[in-house]
Amino acid sequence: MPGATAQTLRPFLWRARRMFPDREVVSRTHEGIHRYTYAEYADRVGQLANALDGAGVERGDRVGTFCWNHHRHYETYFAAPSMGGQLHTINPLLPDHHVQYIVENAADRIILVDPSLVEKLAGAYDEEAFASVEQFVVMGSEVPDTSLENVVDYESFIGDEDATYDWPDLPGDQPAGMCYTSGTTGKPKGVEYTQEMLWSHTMATLPEAGLDLRSSDVVMPVVPMFHVNAWGMPFSTTAAGAKHVYPGPSPSPADLASLIEEEGVTLTAGVPTVWLGLLEYLEENDADLSSLETIVIGGSAAPKSVIRRFDEEYDVDVLHAWGMTEMSPIGTVARLKPGMESLPAEERYDKQAKQGLLIPGLEMRVVGDGGEELPWDGEAFGELHVRGPWVTTEYFERPEATEEDFEDGWLKTGDVVTVDEEGYVKIVDRAKDVIKSGGEWISSVELENALMAHDGVAEATVVGVPHQRWQERPVAFVVPAASADEESLKTELVEMVKSEFPKWWAPDEVVFIEEVPKTATGKFDKKVLRNQYDDESLVEGKAPEDAAPDAND
Amino acid sequence: MPGATAQTLRPFLWRARRMFPDREVVSRTHEGIHRYTYAEYADRVGQLANALDGAGVERGDRVGTFCWNHHRHYETYFAAPSMGGQLHTINPLLPDHHVQYIVENAADRIILVDPSLVEKLAGAYDEEAFASVEQFVVMGSEVPDTSLENVVDYESFIGDEDATYDWPDLPGDQPAGMCYTSGTTGKPKGVEYTQEMLWSHTMATLPEAGLDLRSSDVVMPVVPMFHVNAWGMPFSTTAAGAKHVYPGPSPSPADLASLIEEEGVTLTAGVPTVWLGLLEYLEENDADLSSLETIVIGGSAAPKSVIRRFDEEYDVDVLHAWGMTEMSPIGTVARLKPGMESLPAEERYDKQAKQGLLIPGLEMRVVGDGGEELPWDGEAFGELHVRGPWVTTEYFERPEATEEDFEDGWLKTGDVVTVDEEGYVKIVDRAKDVIKSGGEWISSVELENALMAHDGVAEATVVGVPHQRWQERPVAFVVPAASADEESLKTELVEMVKSEFPKWWAPDEVVFIEEVPKTATGKFDKKVLRNQYDDESLVEGKAPEDAAPDAND
């Protein structure tokens, strides 16, 4: 068979060091701004690799990190995978029992931890779960008081090491990264990234159809580096030879505004709440955002109002992106097509508020309840399936979860979407929340948005409850506004839904409650309501005769 | 082992069809401009795949093409590889015996041939060499008179076929393309491109660090589609969702100017002579080149004067690129780094006249005569070695050639280069032409350029002849200008070289000749001179005592 050299991260580090030695890596730390060049960075990556060697890390061993976004964390991004290890970024916001499960499941040999997170890690420490961990390295130049044992500070750990490391020729399928999905239910599921998955994702996010990274860019990932490699940006920024800006632990909107202004950030990325916070800050404070061209928003849906405000008030493009831990993570970006720039602003924002176009190299399909592929008409909705070189085909040591979420090489994303004629994906619900009525699907999210727009409603959620004939029927759980009259509100809400959606989408019952149950992260916890109403009693006899469009076929 | 879906061309076709169905594919034909959309294109690709199936083409079979640049040729680019076959583009400019060798070596099952090339192919036809070829398909809607048998026209071949094809899941190492290098000596050597090599090259050429292709681009590959897949542009343009413009058979400068103007071409690509021809045409004729942003020049070195003229007179950027058949083919592009735009024009042109920066995903080294790696100082020169995911590691069925040209996974390019502190590669010679004097190298190309700049010289070439002490010493072969006095010219030339280069670079002898021997393609044929002067007699006793810089060490 003809062949070529394997796809690994090595050439990206090599290129940045040799061709862009003077470009900067900037990092906000507790001691102020830290700044060095790719040349210095690459030397320290070599030192770290030698230190990991010295600590006994071997091919395939996992190196855990428990850190915010800074230059030392970025050093682990290339050192651990390129020496043949596996970078395992642990989310420090997880509850202790999840941290324990993850460390035990991954069998990390070593964990690098931020000074400000040592206490949190020590709190999660459990002798059995952490049995594989031989060394803790604190990301700084001193070791704080801690109950952890075998602790060394990072600067001592790498200080005496040689800057040169003879990077091995690794196979493309060498596991190089690892991240756990933190689902709302069940144990976290591990996803491994091979060298070629990380290589593919990096190459795919560089062009216009991805993030459009250029050597002149100044890139600030606000998305945490423990969230799927900060969407791959530490790798892609390096491959582009661009400047890095890491915002450090818990950056405030003022910190972000100041970094943008001082460092000339051109592209930044994070979840919507970060940018809502920045907008709020900017209302009261002056900041020069003129260098900023693009904000990549992902993690959850970018509100149209945020897209509009950044465009109108700051001349900044919001690039809405969607992805998953299973996808390394980027799958779609809502970049406008040629000609769309001249659309009326609101139409542009509507396109940008969708999750966007699949980036080159991936394939997708939208699958209906019966397994049939659905048309791209902006209306039909079904579950999104994706596949491609940076989409995993399995979970780590979880055959039953793999069985559930993968099918013939496709990842079943669990997202229910429409796709318009132009190919723009829009997420309308999660598969577990969509209501399956007579073979057709009802979007719980769209109903909730409509209900919550009503003045008489403080909060509302919609859940499918079992129904003998229709499989499921929608029930609305509504927290009424203080002033509302419950009986008339109920009628109004049902009529409103009937006027805005197909009639059979109207909830068969409206239940008034005092509070919508929430998860630890503040999301609606529909599971609680589903468990409470797991039989037909609530909707028995209430469904319309045509509770599905093809009911009379 | 964790894994992901294989890297294949399939998603590129899928994406163009589904997300950019209305973008155009334009083709200049003998019957005028042909124009259709990606949607129509993809249907015909499906028809062609079904027709190839019907003709008995199976997984791994080779489909030969003998064609210029047009939409039907572009249809084979996706149909043959995506059904599991292997696209083998044959250079119709080769002598008959090379065509015979190539067809026999590749064992093509079928050959698609342009109407204007049928006679040439029939002339090369040899029953034994063509024994594997079961079918000839003429790229049009009729079959011309020909001595070839089993001939059908393309439109009849695909006309009745279904537009839908169930594209298989191919492994990444499936051979998908093939091209022969046409060296000046010996038999052509076959290079196979696997699906993942073509995928990697496509992804790598999309970003700024490659060709910077965007969905708004209008791309016209003038470089023939039989020259390493037209530098991959039919694939990359599809992946970007951009518009294609194919200039058809033997386009004149007027044809190119008209296509640029009429179709709004933004990026075009070809060898230097094409652009010299266009510049000449533009001196006498008006054309609106305002849409044109970039001309990619490769194949041989882009003259600085061409770079300057396109910038100053037409505001068009020349993007100098270098690659090889063995590299799918692109390796470097001379894109300016951030900040270089503000350099004085001549300095910019000097950078752009170099072969440029290695694109992300590849690695390179410069190796001296003793196997040592040389510094990047713009002075030291040695052979360029490259490796990476779209660089082959072998020749097809040619173990002895593989042995010669590859080393530990590196391709020895045969190009002798300097690399400057910024990482820009500059080719100074071919490895077989560089003169090895006392362990140091002398660039024959630089000496030739200096000699030919002298008024008394019509043509000159410099060849290394054997030398007992110094291994080789340079001898200049000079065709004097009509007016020159040979004896004084000889002294002048030697003194000139001594003043411009290290003294030991000066030729030990200047031989006046009537004409420099040329190859079939018009290049200097140094082999003839080397064979003629294969002993020391010409330079015996003439070398300086320090014919290498370290001679006195």
PDB file of all heavy atoms in Angstrom, chain A residues 505-521:
ATOM      1  N   TRP A 505     -49.790  20.544  18.220  1.00  0.00           N
ATOM      2  CA  TRP A 505     -48.684  20.842  19.129  1.00  0.00           C
ATOM      3  C   TRP A 505     -49.201  21.363  20.485  1.00  0.00           C
ATOM      4  O   TRP A 505     -48.447  21.411  21.452  1.00  0.00           O
ATOM      5  CB  TRP A 505     -47.754  21.920  18.532  1.00  0.00           C
ATOM      6  CG  TRP A 505     -46.777  21.436  17.511  1.00  0.00           C
ATOM      7  CD1 TRP A 505     -46.982  20.506  16.552  1.00  0.00           C
ATOM      8  CD2 TRP A 505     -45.421  21.893  17.352  1.00  0.00           C
ATOM      9  NE1 TRP A 505     -45.852  20.350  15.794  1.00  0.00           N
ATOM     10  CE2 TRP A 505     -44.869  21.191  16.254  1.00  0.00           C
ATOM     11  CE3 TRP A 505     -44.621  22.821  18.022  1.00  0.00           C
ATOM     12  CZ2 TRP A 505     -43.555  21.391  15.819  1.00  0.00           C
ATOM     13  CZ3 TRP A 505     -43.314  23.023  17.576  1.00  0.00           C
ATOM     14  CH2 TRP A 505     -42.790  22.304  16.484  1.00  0.00           C
ATOM     15  N   ALA A 506     -50.466  21.798  20.536  1.00  0.00           N
ATOM     16  CA  ALA A 506     -50.974  22.416  21.775  1.00  0.00           C
ATOM     17  C   ALA A 506     -50.906  21.412  22.926  1.00  0.00           C
ATOM     18  O   ALA A 506     -51.268  20.248  22.756  1.00  0.00           O
ATOM     19  CB  ALA A 506     -52.407  22.890  21.561  1.00  0.00           C
ATOM     20  N   PRO A 507     -50.432  21.854  24.089  1.00  0.00           N
ATOM     21  CA  PRO A 507     -50.347  20.921  25.229  1.00  0.00           C
ATOM     22  C   PRO A 507     -51.740  20.402  25.617  1.00  0.00           C
ATOM     23  O   PRO A 507     -52.697  21.162  25.633  1.00  0.00           O
ATOM     24  CB  PRO A 507     -49.736  21.769  26.349  1.00  0.00           C
ATOM     25  CG  PRO A 507     -49.818  23.186  25.902  1.00  0.00           C
ATOM     26  CD  PRO A 507     -49.915  23.198  24.412  1.00  0.00           C
ATOM     27  N   ASP A 508     -51.816  19.125  25.914  1.00  0.00           N
ATOM     28  CA  ASP A 508     -53.087  18.526  26.343  1.00  0.00           C
ATOM     29  C   ASP A 508     -53.431  18.957  27.758  1.00  0.00           C
ATOM     30  O   ASP A 508     -54.574  18.845  28.187  1.00  0.00           O
ATOM     31  CB  ASP A 508     -52.988  16.989  26.288  1.00  0.00           C
ATOM     32  CG  ASP A 508     -53.082  16.490  24.849  1.00  0.00           C
ATOM     33  OD1 ASP A 508     -53.254  17.340  23.939  1.00  0.00           O
ATOM     34  OD2 ASP A 508     -52.970  15.274  24.644  1.00  0.00           O
ATOM     35  N   GLU A 509     -52.435  19.389  28.486  1.00  0.00           N
ATOM     36  CA  GLU A 509     -52.681  19.825  29.862  1.00  0.00           C
ATOM     37  C   GLU A 509     -51.676  20.927  30.205  1.00  0.00           C
ATOM     38  O   GLU A 509     -50.547  20.921  29.718  1.00  0.00           O
ATOM     39  CB  GLU A 509     -52.534  18.634  30.826  1.00  0.00           C
ATOM     40  CG  GLU A 509     -52.912  18.943  32.258  1.00  0.00           C
ATOM     41  CD  GLU A 509     -54.338  19.463  32.403  1.00  0.00           C
ATOM     42  OE1 GLU A 509     -54.514  20.705  32.321  1.00  0.00           O
ATOM     43  OE2 GLU A 509     -55.275  18.648  32.560  1.00  0.00           O
ATOM     44  N   VAL A 510     -52.133  21.896  31.003  1.00  0.00           N
ATOM     45  CA  VAL A 510     -51.230  22.901  31.561  1.00  0.00           C
ATOM     46  C   VAL A 510     -51.251  22.740  33.075  1.00  0.00           C
ATOM     47  O   VAL A 510     -52.319  22.826  33.680  1.00  0.00           O
ATOM     48  CB  VAL A 510     -51.658  24.333  31.165  1.00  0.00           C
ATOM     49  CG1 VAL A 510     -50.753  25.374  31.832  1.00  0.00           C
ATOM     50  CG2 VAL A 510     -51.649  24.505  29.655  1.00  0.00           C
ATOM     51  N   VAL A 511     -50.100  22.454  33.660  1.00  0.00           N
ATOM     52  CA  VAL A 511     -50.018  22.245  35.105  1.00  0.00           C
ATOM     53  C   VAL A 511     -49.280  23.440  35.710  1.00  0.00           C
ATOM     54  O   VAL A 511     -48.184  23.778  35.250  1.00  0.00           O
ATOM     55  CB  VAL A 511     -49.253  20.940  35.435  1.00  0.00           C
ATOM     56  CG1 VAL A 511     -49.191  20.724  36.948  1.00  0.00           C
ATOM     57  CG2 VAL A 511     -49.888  19.746  34.731  1.00  0.00           C
ATOM     58  N   PHE A 512     -49.917  24.073  36.693  1.00  0.00           N
ATOM     59  CA  PHE A 512     -49.239  25.198  37.346  1.00  0.00           C
ATOM     60  C   PHE A 512     -48.393  24.685  38.499  1.00  0.00           C
ATOM     61  O   PHE A 512     -48.843  23.875  39.309  1.00  0.00           O
ATOM     62  CB  PHE A 512     -50.266  26.234  37.805  1.00  0.00           C
ATOM     63  CG  PHE A 512     -50.900  26.933  36.623  1.00  0.00           C
ATOM     64  CD1 PHE A 512     -52.185  26.596  36.189  1.00  0.00           C
ATOM     65  CD2 PHE A 512     -50.187  27.901  35.919  1.00  0.00           C
ATOM     66  CE1 PHE A 512     -52.747  27.217  35.081  1.00  0.00           C
ATOM     67  CE2 PHE A 512     -50.744  28.533  34.817  1.00  0.00           C
ATOM     68  CZ  PHE A 512     -52.039  28.195  34.394  1.00  0.00           C
ATOM     69  N   ILE A 513     -47.135  25.145  38.513  1.00  0.00           N
ATOM     70  CA  ILE A 513     -46.211  24.714  39.568  1.00  0.00           C
ATOM     71  C   ILE A 513     -45.528  25.945  40.161  1.00  0.00           C
ATOM     72  O   ILE A 513     -45.636  27.046  39.626  1.00  0.00           O
ATOM     73  CB  ILE A 513     -45.148  23.730  39.018  1.00  0.00           C
ATOM     74  CG1 ILE A 513     -44.400  24.373  37.825  1.00  0.00           C
ATOM     75  CG2 ILE A 513     -45.793  22.420  38.601  1.00  0.00           C
ATOM     76  CD1 ILE A 513     -43.303  23.502  37.257  1.00  0.00           C
ATOM     77  N   GLU A 514     -44.853  25.731  41.260  1.00  0.00           N
ATOM     78  CA  GLU A 514     -44.215  26.870  41.938  1.00  0.00           C
ATOM     79  C   GLU A 514     -42.831  27.177  41.407  1.00  0.00           C
ATOM     80  O   GLU A 514     -42.337  28.290  41.470  1.00  0.00           O
ATOM     81  CB  GLU A 514     -44.156  26.605  43.450  1.00  0.00           C
ATOM     82  CG  GLU A 514     -45.521  26.785  44.088  1.00  0.00           C
ATOM     83  CD  GLU A 514     -45.459  26.691  45.603  1.00  0.00           C
ATOM     84  OE1 GLU A 514     -44.331  26.693  46.153  1.00  0.00           O
ATOM     85  OE2 GLU A 514     -46.539  26.603  46.214  1.00  0.00           O
ATOM     86  N   GLU A 515     -42.172  26.143  40.869  1.00  0.00           N
ATOM     87  CA  GLU A 515     -40.810  26.335  40.383  1.00  0.00           C
ATOM     88  C   GLU A 515     -40.479  25.197  39.414  1.00  0.00           C
ATOM     89  O   GLU A 515     -40.865  24.063  39.657  1.00  0.00           O
ATOM     90  CB  GLU A 515     -39.817  26.304  41.559  1.00  0.00           C
ATOM     91  CG  GLU A 515     -38.468  26.860  41.229  1.00  0.00           C
ATOM     92  CD  GLU A 515     -37.488  26.715  42.400  1.00  0.00           C
ATOM     93  OE1 GLU A 515     -37.912  26.239  43.483  1.00  0.00           O
ATOM     94  OE2 GLU A 515     -36.317  27.051  42.235  1.00  0.00           O
ATOM     95  N   VAL A 516     -39.771  25.503  38.347  1.00  0.00           N
ATOM     96  CA  VAL A 516     -39.302  24.437  37.459  1.00  0.00           C
ATOM     97  C   VAL A 516     -38.065  23.815  38.102  1.00  0.00           C
ATOM     98  O   VAL A 516     -37.135  24.537  38.470  1.00  0.00           O
ATOM     99  CB  VAL A 516     -38.956  24.994  36.058  1.00  0.00           C
ATOM    100  CG1 VAL A 516     -38.375  23.883  35.174  1.00  0.00           C
ATOM    101  CG2 VAL A 516     -40.179  25.607  35.388  1.00  0.00           C
ATOM    102  N   PRO A 517     -38.044  22.480  38.241  1.00  0.00           N
ATOM    103  CA  PRO A 517     -36.855  21.838  38.821  1.00  0.00           C
ATOM    104  C   PRO A 517     -35.623  22.130  37.966  1.00  0.00           C
ATOM    105  O   PRO A 517     -35.722  22.205  36.741  1.00  0.00           O
ATOM    106  CB  PRO A 517     -37.182  20.346  38.782  1.00  0.00           C
ATOM    107  CG  PRO A 517     -38.621  20.223  38.403  1.00  0.00           C
ATOM    108  CD  PRO A 517     -39.077  21.510  37.840  1.00  0.00           C
ATOM    109  N   LYS A 518     -34.478  22.343  38.631  1.00  0.00           N
ATOM    110  CA  LYS A 518     -33.254  22.707  37.904  1.00  0.00           C
ATOM    111  C   LYS A 518     -32.133  21.705  38.195  1.00  0.00           C
ATOM    112  O   LYS A 518     -32.077  21.107  39.274  1.00  0.00           O
ATOM    113  CB  LYS A 518     -32.780  24.103  38.338  1.00  0.00           C
ATOM    114  CG  LYS A 518     -33.835  25.207  38.273  1.00  0.00           C
ATOM    115  CD  LYS A 518     -33.766  25.951  36.993  1.00  0.00           C
ATOM    116  CE  LYS A 518     -34.792  27.070  36.839  1.00  0.00           C
ATOM    117  NZ  LYS A 518     -35.599  27.481  37.980  1.00  0.00           N
ATOM    118  N   THR A 519     -31.211  21.603  37.246  1.00  0.00           N
ATOM    119  CA  THR A 519     -30.006  20.786  37.463  1.00  0.00           C
ATOM    120  C   THR A 519     -28.978  21.624  38.219  1.00  0.00           C
ATOM    121  O   THR A 519     -29.176  22.817  38.446  1.00  0.00           O
ATOM    122  CB  THR A 519     -29.368  20.359  36.130  1.00  0.00           C
ATOM    123  OG1 THR A 519     -28.873  21.538  35.478  1.00  0.00           O
ATOM    124  CG2 THR A 519     -30.376  19.683  35.229  1.00  0.00           C
ATOM    125  N   ALA A 520     -27.876  20.980  38.566  1.00  0.00           N
ATOM    126  CA  ALA A 520     -26.801  21.671  39.298  1.00  0.00           C
ATOM    127  C   ALA A 520     -26.280  22.869  38.514  1.00  0.00           C
ATOM    128  O   ALA A 520     -25.845  23.866  39.084  1.00  0.00           O
ATOM    129  CB  ALA A 520     -25.651  20.698  39.573  1.00  0.00           C
ATOM    130  N   THR A 521     -26.316  22.795  37.186  1.00  0.00           N
ATOM    131  CA  THR A 521     -25.800  23.903  36.385  1.00  0.00           C
ATOM    132  C   THR A 521     -26.908  24.893  36.007  1.00  0.00           C
ATOM    133  O   THR A 521     -26.707  25.759  35.157  1.00  0.00           O
ATOM    134  CB  THR A 521     -25.114  23.386  35.103  1.00  0.00           C
ATOM    135  OG1 THR A 521     -26.079  22.633  34.348  1.00  0.00           O
ATOM    136  CG2 THR A 521     -23.939  22.510  35.429  1.00  0.00           C
TER     137      THR A 521
END
